[in-house]
């Protein structure tokens, strides 16, 4: 009787139109159902039947309904698909191609075909780049993708690197140099400093050496420092083909095991590199560091020729200063250079401890990888005195460059950091007050006050308080006009000491040269800041992704299966704890189910960075705990750990 009744159909349409809609991000689960996350505190259930039309990560509008006294949503309109350009693994079935996206919550096969411009032939297990062309929520009857590029085959030992670089759309190879790129373009007069005993201090395996130092002591206790920096802009003309390539890459991309250089290797590791006993053109800066640690106002930038007398390593120099090991400097003159540089370093550390911000000594982890991509080990590297010698020298040089640019032209590429914005400053002050640390918003939003806060935090050395305050701090940025760098504690800061590796430093080189030569200086466009920040973000994500992949491979070894690891809690999420293994630097996740069996008694407080069980705090960020590895998921590059503890009573 009611079948095909037009009035009933219209009534249903009216009810449907009046039903509330919600907008959010789809979050899928391993059990087929999902949730629409509207905000961090609110989400709605998506039944398995409704999940078939969406993917994890899709931004959608959904119809909100009630089913069996429960709020559920029905996906209705796609705002933004999670997948657009993506990487995945090919599966070939009955001569048909499918691709599985390389994302933790996307496991379904997507029908695919090579697009008309793709010349690759795809086999089962190949890795590929694809473009999603059809989506069920757009009215298409299936999800469909076009293959645009083959990344590599299934048996390639370098899959973690190639797939990650493809995912982030980063270059896999160095740029190629043309014959003209290897010819010195500048004919300017350069000071001949080849007789001076310049030295370089780097890692043993460093090939792209871009800084050399020469120091001398004055009778009054002041120290004269000449910082000589490799000069690739003497070979690469502004606007040339190679310059455009460098401006797109922005950085040398350092990944575990190898790097992809910004410039051709025959430039970055040979012609421009300050290799020992090779005559090289440089951009140099002459600085006087006073005996009280201050930098003299008299700063001179000039073009020069130098010849490094020795390539030294961080470990050898540190051993000799610390009077351990058997290494000794090759000559008395070089030994004297090291001693004066050590004194300069201590002067500047003392000055920065009183007037700026000192860095805490941190541990770094380095993968030892064979040329065939096999992980041999993970090495712990600590910042030693030789690292600090180079660090302090480069900081002095970069402060000097910032002052020189500001004084002469008023622009450049500056590294800036604004400390706290007003809201976060208020939150920081309130948090500090709970620990009887009394600061005002007005105080910590000034450079002097911020530095004082950081010095106080260094003195009390409470990692939990420090981590919470860093959470309130702004992120570092770039500016074309002078601005303070609160995190370093300087009124202005501009890097120019790594032009082989950073395009922003090449820009500053050209500006410094324009001042030296009394030529017109062209202010960088505002768009360069965005390009630098975006490329830095992509490079860092690639480095992290490769590391996560290598850790899952490395920790699958039998000897790690029942081993207890010391770990530091680094973050608290809505469903568990994130921690870093101190022995090797791997990031692990501890889900709530492995912390306490009754979920309702668990409270993961992200705001405070603490975990409560029945109202009692059991874990907080910065805590050191012991864990064992529970599950290593190679497909998702995730490591699940569980804490070692007695059962809660």
């Amino acid at each position: 009787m009611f079948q095909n009744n037009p009035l009933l159909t219209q009534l249903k349409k009216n009810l449907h139109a009046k039903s509330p809609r919600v907008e959010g991000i789809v979050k899928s689960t391993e059990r087929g159902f999902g949730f629409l996350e509207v905000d961090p505190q609110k989400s709605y259930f998506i039944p398995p039947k409704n999940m078939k039309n969406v993917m994890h990560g899709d931004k959608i509008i959904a119809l909100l309904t009630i089913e069996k006294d429960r709020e559920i949503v029905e996906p209705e309109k796609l705002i933004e698909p999670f997948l657009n350009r993506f990487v995945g693994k090919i599966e070939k079935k009955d001569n048909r191609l499918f691709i599985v996206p390389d994302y933790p919550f996307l496991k379904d096969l997507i029908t695919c075909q090579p697009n008309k411009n793709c010349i690759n032939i795809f086999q089962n297990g190949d890795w590929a780049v694809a473009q999603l062309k059809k989506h069920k929520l757009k009215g298409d009857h299936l999800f469909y993708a076009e293959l645009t590029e083959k990344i590599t085959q299934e048996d390639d030992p370098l899959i973690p690197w190639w797939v990650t670089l493809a995912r982030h759309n980063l270059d896999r190879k160095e740029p190629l140099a043309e014959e003209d790129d290897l010819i010195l373009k500048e004919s300017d007069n350069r000071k001949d400093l080849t007789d001076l005993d310049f030295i370089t201090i780097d890692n043993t395996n460093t090939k792209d050496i871009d800084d050399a130092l020469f120091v001398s002591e004055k009778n009054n206790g002041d120290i004269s420092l000449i910082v000589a920096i490799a000069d690739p802009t003497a070979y690469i003309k502004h606007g040339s083909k190679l310059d455009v390539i460098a401006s797109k890459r922005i950085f040398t991309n350092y990944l575990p095991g190898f790097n992809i250089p910004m410039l051709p290797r025959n430039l970055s590791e040979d012609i421009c590199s300050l290799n020992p006993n090779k005559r090289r053109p440089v951009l140099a800066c002459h600085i006087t560091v006073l005996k009280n640690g201050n930098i003299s106002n008299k700063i001179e930038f000039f073009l020069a020729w130098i010849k490094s007398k020795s390539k030294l390593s961080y470990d050898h120099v540190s051993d000799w200063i610390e009077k351990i090991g058997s290494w000794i400097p090759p000559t008395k003159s070089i030994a004297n250079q090291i001693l004066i540089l050590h004194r300069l370093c201590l002067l500047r550390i003392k000055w920065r401890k009183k007037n700026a911000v000192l860095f805490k000594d941190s541990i770094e982890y380095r993968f030892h990888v064979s040329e065939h991509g096999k992980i041999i080990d993970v090495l712990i590297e600590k910042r030693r005195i030789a690292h600090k010698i180079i660090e302090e020298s480069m900081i002095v040089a970069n402060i000097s460059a910032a002052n020189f640019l500001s004084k002469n032209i008023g622009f450049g590429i500056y590294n800036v950091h604004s400390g706290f914005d007003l809201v976060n400053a208020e939150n920081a002050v309130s948090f500090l007050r709970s620990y009887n640390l009394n600061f005002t918003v007005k105080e910590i939003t000034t450079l002097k006050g911020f530095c004082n806060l950081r010095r106080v935090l260094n003195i009390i050395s409470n990692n939990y308080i420090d981590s919470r305050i860093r959470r309130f701090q702004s992120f570092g940025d770039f500016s074309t006009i002078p601005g303070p760098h609160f995190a370093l504690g300087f009124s202005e800061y501009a890097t120019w000491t790594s032009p082989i590796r950073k395009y922003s430093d090449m820009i500053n080189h050209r500006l410094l040269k324009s001042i030296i030569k009394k030529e017109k200086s062209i202010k960088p466009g505002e768009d360069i800041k965005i390009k630098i920040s975006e490329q830095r973000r992509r490079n860092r994500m690639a480095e992290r992704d490769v590391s996560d992949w290598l850790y899952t491979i490395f920790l699958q070894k039998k000897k790690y299966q029942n081993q207890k690891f010391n770990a530091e809690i680094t973050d608290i999420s809505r469903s568990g704890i994130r921690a870093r293994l101190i022995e090797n630097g791997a990031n692990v996740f501890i889900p709530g189910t492995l912390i306490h069996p009754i979920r309702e008694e668990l409270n993961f407080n992200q705001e405070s960075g603490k975990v409560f069980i029945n109202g009692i705090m059991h874990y907080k960020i910065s805590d050191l705990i012991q864990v064992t590895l529970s599950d290593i998921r190679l497909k998702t590059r995730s490591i699940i750990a569980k804490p070692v503890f007695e059962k809660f009573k």
Side-chain angles (χ1 to χ4, degrees):
M1 175 177 171
F2 294 104
Q3 191 174 7
N4 299 323
N5 187 310
L7 291 175
L8 183 60
T9 302
Q10 186 61 44
L11 179 62
K12 285 182 177 179
K13 283 184 178 179
N14 291 339
L15 288 171
H16 190 272
K18 292 177 182 178
S19 297
R21 267 78 175 167
V22 288
E23 180 181 313
I25 306 294
V26 174
K27 302 291 182 182
S28 63
T29 68
E30 293 183 352
R31 289 185 284 175
F33 58 83
F35 295 92
L36 185 67
E37 193 172 90
V38 177
D39 60 50
Q41 278 75 44
K42 184 63 177 175
S43 60
Y44 296 97
F45 182 72
I46 308 176
K49 63 178 181 178
N50 294 347
M51 281 295 294
K52 292 179 180 178
N53 293 324
V54 291
M55 291 184 181
H56 175 86
D58 284 346
K59 187 176 184 180
I60 67 168
I61 292 174
L63 183 70
L64 181 60
T65 61
I66 305 294
E67 190 175 285
K68 296 180 181 178
D69 297 326
R70 183 179 190 181
E71 288 183 320
I72 68 167
V73 291
E74 181 182 334
E76 190 174 64
K77 182 180 178 182
L78 181 68
I79 300 174
E80 186 180 342
F82 175 68
L83 285 187
N84 188 2
R85 177 192 177 276
F86 66 97
V87 300
K89 197 170 184 180
I90 297 295
E91 286 197 23
K92 204 169 184 179
K93 295 183 177 181
D94 301 323
N95 288 324
R96 294 177 63 197
L97 292 178
F98 300 89
I99 186 168
V100 181
D102 188 41
Y103 292 96
F105 292 98
L106 298 178
K107 298 179 180 179
D108 293 337
L109 298 175
I110 298 175
T111 302
C112 62
Q113 282 295 327
N115 73 6
K116 60 182 180 181
N117 298 317
C118 184
I119 60 172
N120 303 117
I121 297 173
F122 294 90
Q123 301 297 335
N124 194 59
D126 286 350
W127 288 85
V129 178
Q131 192 86 28
L132 189 70
K133 291 295 182 180
K134 293 183 180 181
H135 193 292
K136 287 184 180 180
L137 211 55
K138 283 184 176 180
D140 301 311
H141 69 281
L142 80 169
F143 294 111
Y144 172 78
E146 285 187 349
L147 305 177
T148 59
E149 177 193 355
K150 178 178 173 179
I151 301 171
T152 191
Q153 65 274 9
E154 189 174 23
D155 60 353
D156 188 341
L158 298 178
I159 282 174
W161 290 269
W162 302 148
V163 171
T164 300
L165 289 168
R167 172 184 286 109
H168 296 290
N169 209 9
L170 294 166
D171 292 286
R172 288 171 55 172
K173 296 179 180 178
E174 65 176 285
L176 297 176
E178 297 178 2
E179 193 173 333
D180 184 60
D181 295 326
L182 310 179
I183 299 171
L184 190 69
K185 308 293 189 304
E186 294 179 349
S187 57
D188 306 275
N189 289 327
R190 292 175 179 264
K191 290 185 181 180
D192 188 349
L193 304 182
T194 53
D195 288 340
L196 297 182
D197 287 328
F198 278 92
I199 60 170
T200 65
I201 308 175
D202 281 284
N203 289 315
T204 308
N205 58 350
T206 299
K207 295 179 180 178
D208 50 349
I209 305 170
D210 47 21
D211 57 87
L213 304 173
F214 174 77
V215 281
S216 58
E217 278 187 294
K218 298 182 179 181
N219 292 333
N220 64 358
D222 296 346
I223 296 176
S224 172
L225 169 67
I226 299 177
V227 178
I229 303 298
D231 194 2
T233 61
Y235 294 86
I236 305 168
K237 281 187 176 181
H238 177 65
S240 66
K241 183 180 176 181
L242 187 53
D243 184 55
V244 171
I245 291 172
S247 72
K248 290 178 180 177
R249 296 190 178 217
I250 301 290
F251 298 99
T252 288
N253 193 359
Y254 290 95
L255 297 173
F258 66 86
N259 65 64
I260 299 97
M262 179 181 75
L263 301 176
R265 289 193 192 275
N266 43 6
L267 269 175
S268 62
E269 297 180 0
D270 183 12
I271 291 173
C272 290
S273 182
L274 305 183
N275 295 322
N277 304 311
K278 299 290 184 181
R279 187 171 181 265
R280 294 286 187 257
V282 296
L283 176 59
C285 180
H286 188 193
I287 308 157
T288 299
V289 176
L290 306 178
K291 60 184 177 183
N292 62 3
N294 277 317
I295 301 170
S296 168
N297 291 327
K298 293 180 180 180
I299 300 168
E300 180 191 6
F301 278 85
F302 57 95
L303 299 173
W305 292 100
I306 71 156
K307 188 183 287 185
S308 167
K309 298 302 185 289
S310 188
K311 179 190 176 185
L312 308 179
S313 76
Y314 288 125
D315 284 339
H316 282 159
V317 172
S318 298
D319 286 349
W320 186 69
I321 291 173
E322 295 165 7
K323 295 181 171 54
I324 58 176
S326 58
W327 182 85
I328 58 172
T331 66
K332 287 185 179 180
S333 176
I334 289 173
N336 191 47
Q337 286 291 298
I338 295 171
L339 291 173
I340 300 172
L341 281 169
H342 183 213
R343 180 169 168 258
L344 169 68
C345 174
L346 297 180
L347 276 177
R348 285 298 297 168
I349 287 175
K350 184 179 179 181
W351 183 91
R352 289 207 299 128
K353 189 175 182 180
K354 183 179 178 182
N355 298 283
V357 176
L358 266 186
F359 312 123
K360 282 189 173 182
D361 285 343
S362 58
I363 295 174
E364 293 184 358
Y365 301 89
R366 179 172 62 84
F367 282 97
H368 183 198
V369 182
S370 74
E371 60 183 45
H372 302 296
K374 184 179 179 182
I375 309 159
I376 298 168
D377 202 357
V378 180
L379 307 176
I380 294 177
E381 294 186 340
K382 296 181 180 179
R383 286 173 66 248
R384 301 182 66 192
I385 188 61
H387 293 87
K388 295 177 185 179
I389 285 172
I390 296 301
E391 183 176 76
E392 293 301 328
S393 299
M394 295 306 106
I395 288 173
V396 166
N398 291 330
I399 293 170
S400 301
N403 293 341
F404 192 77
L405 290 168
S406 301
K407 179 182 174 182
N408 286 280
I409 55 176
F411 55 81
I413 302 293
Y414 294 85
N415 301 66
V416 294
H417 182 264
S418 58
F420 301 101
D421 63 28
L422 187 59
V423 172
N424 279 323
E426 290 172 351
N427 292 333
V429 166
S430 176
F431 174 81
L432 289 165
R433 198 174 292 126
S434 66
Y435 286 87
N436 296 317
L437 296 168
N438 297 313
F439 291 86
T440 66
V441 170
K442 185 177 179 181
E443 181 182 2
I444 68 171
T445 50
T446 66
L447 179 61
K448 184 178 179 180
F450 183 92
C451 291
N452 182 49
L453 168 61
R454 293 302 329 169
R455 288 194 291 271
V456 168
L457 293 178
N458 282 345
I459 291 169
I460 64 174
S461 195
N462 184 308
N463 290 336
Y464 174 73
I465 295 175
D466 192 58
S467 71
R468 295 292 85 194
I469 292 300
R470 288 185 186 279
R471 190 168 177 265
F472 294 127
Q473 288 179 200
S474 305
F475 294 104
D477 203 355
F478 299 92
S479 173
T480 57
I481 58 174
H485 197 299
F486 279 59
L488 291 174
F490 303 134
S491 58
E492 50 190 1
Y493 196 75
T495 66
W496 64 288
T497 53
S498 297
I500 290 175
R501 313 170 187 189
K502 296 162 62 178
Y503 189 73
S504 56
D505 288 25
M506 284 179 62
I507 293 174
N508 282 338
H509 265 231
R510 290 184 172 127
L511 292 174
L512 292 166
K513 285 183 178 182
S514 72
I515 300 168
I516 295 168
K517 299 176 184 181
K518 296 181 170 56
E519 297 173 348
K520 184 180 178 181
S521 304
I522 301 173
K523 185 178 180 180
E526 290 297 304
D527 61 319
I528 191 65
K529 300 186 304 183
I530 300 169
K531 284 178 67 177
I532 295 170
S533 296
E534 173 60 19
Q535 196 69 8
R536 180 175 64 175
R537 183 186 70 83
R538 290 165 68 200
N539 284 2
R540 286 178 175 175
M541 287 174 65
E543 182 184 4
R544 181 204 64 196
D545 288 355
V546 173
S547 293
D548 288 346
W549 203 327
L550 297 185
Y551 275 122
T552 57
I553 296 170
F554 178 69
L555 291 173
Q556 283 182 327
K557 295 178 181 178
K558 279 188 176 181
K559 66 177 182 178
Y560 297 123
Q561 285 181 4
N562 298 309
Q563 181 175 330
K564 292 180 182 178
F565 291 94
N566 295 313
E568 180 183 6
I569 296 176
T570 55
D571 193 23
I572 304 297
S573 73
R574 293 173 65 185
S575 56
I577 292 171
R578 300 192 185 281
R580 184 180 66 173
L581 304 185
I582 293 170
E583 284 91 333
N584 53 46
N587 292 310
V588 301
F589 181 67
I590 308 170
T593 52
L594 297 181
I595 295 172
H596 188 67
I598 305 171
R599 181 64 182 89
E600 291 73 21
E601 296 176 355
L602 266 171
N603 176 16
F604 295 102
N605 192 311
Q606 294 172 275
E607 188 64 30
S608 66
K610 295 178 179 178
V611 179
F612 297 86
I613 301 174
N614 285 323
I616 300 171
M617 196 271 287
H618 279 266
Y619 300 101
K620 68 179 185 301
I621 286 176
S622 80
D623 278 355
L624 298 178
I625 60 174
Q626 276 200 324
V627 300
T628 56
L629 303 183
S630 173
D631 189 15
I632 296 175
R633 300 169 182 174
L634 189 56
K635 280 191 176 182
T636 59
R637 269 81 80 186
S638 55
I639 302 168
I640 308 302
K642 57 183 177 182
V644 178
F645 59 105
E646 291 182 0
K647 288 184 179 179
F648 292 113
K649 297 177 181 178

